[in-house]
Amino acid sequence: MSSYCEPVWGHSFLKSLAGPSMKAITSTRRRTLRRWLVENRSQTRERSSGSDALLACSALKRLYRQILLHGSTVVAPTSSASLPSSPEVFFLYLHGDYDLIHQRMVARQGHYMKADLLRSQFDILEPPSDEENVLTLDIRKSRSEMILEVEKHIESLKL
């Protein structure tokens, strides 16, 4: 993707959510998560300044993806008829099964999110629907194969 843009890493704004507080969903955590999503949206728009941008973060719920698209005005998940999709924005859905992702997480070193939190992520996941302008990538493929798929998708949008 380096030929297109420099990624914005959503976890760089995640410091306040990391650690034990990630285990429990509380109203304070929900407010913090909303601020984090809005900040991710803002930082991505600021850094892209008219060019392509890539934000890497987990947007596990439809509401989270809508906040990334529309900002802090979103208060509840809505149908696509209520909030139009943004044709210049699409989501990458890195699709993989629990066992493969868990295996990869256990093998990595020094990451803030530990493998024992994966189950909770799968429990709350709302896979994106086609109406959300999503490109689904199978994580069993190589990184270079997935990058090629993304590049082809971006080129098809520019036609």
Side-chain angles (χ1 to χ4, degrees):
M1 290 292 310
S2 60
S3 62
Y4 288 98
C5 57
E6 188 64 33
V8 175
W9 298 104
H11 67 270
S12 65
F13 310 117
L14 190 62
K15 306 269 188 255
S16 62
L17 290 179
S21 64
M22 289 183 79
K23 292 182 181 178
I25 300 292
T26 65
S27 60
T28 301
R29 182 173 178 272
R30 280 197 268 303
R31 284 190 301 274
T32 304
L33 178 58
R34 178 177 284 277
R35 284 193 309 270
W36 175 73
L37 290 165
V38 170
E39 179 66 15
N40 273 304
R41 180 179 189 268
S42 172
Q43 290 289 326
T44 303
R45 287 178 176 272
E46 182 180 305
R47 291 182 189 187
S48 68
S49 57
S51 64
D52 293 331
L54 171 67
L55 167 65
C57 73
S58 58
L60 299 174
K61 294 185 172 216
R62 181 179 180 93
L63 173 62
Y64 304 167
R65 295 183 293 274
Q66 288 183 341
I67 291 170
L68 288 170
L69 282 175
H70 303 287
S72 60
T73 59
V74 178
V75 292
T78 58
S79 71
S80 62
S82 303
L83 285 174
S85 65
S86 180
E88 68 274 0
V89 175
F90 68 94
F91 292 98
L92 297 177
Y93 176 44
L94 301 177
H95 184 264
D97 67 49
Y98 177 88
D99 291 332
L100 176 59
I101 295 172
H102 188 267
Q103 175 187 3
R104 290 180 178 180
M105 289 179 77
V106 168
R108 68 184 179 186
Q109 305 265 327
H111 197 275
Y112 70 91
M113 185 174 162
K114 304 300 178 211
D116 63 345
L117 294 174
L118 181 62
R119 176 52 56 200
S120 67
Q121 302 293 285
F122 266 81
D123 290 346
I124 68 167
L125 174 64
E126 296 171 3
S129 64
D130 289 339
E131 67 186 22
E132 291 182 81
N133 199 11
V134 62
L135 174 62
T136 300
L137 299 172
D138 183 341
I139 66 166
R140 293 174 297 182
K141 293 183 177 179
S142 71
R143 182 178 294 166
S144 59
E145 288 175 305
M146 289 189 288
I147 289 171
L148 186 60
E149 281 186 61
V150 172
E151 289 175 340
K152 285 180 181 177
H153 186 74
I154 289 171
E155 289 304 316
S156 75
L157 295 174
K158 292 181 178 182
L159 297 177

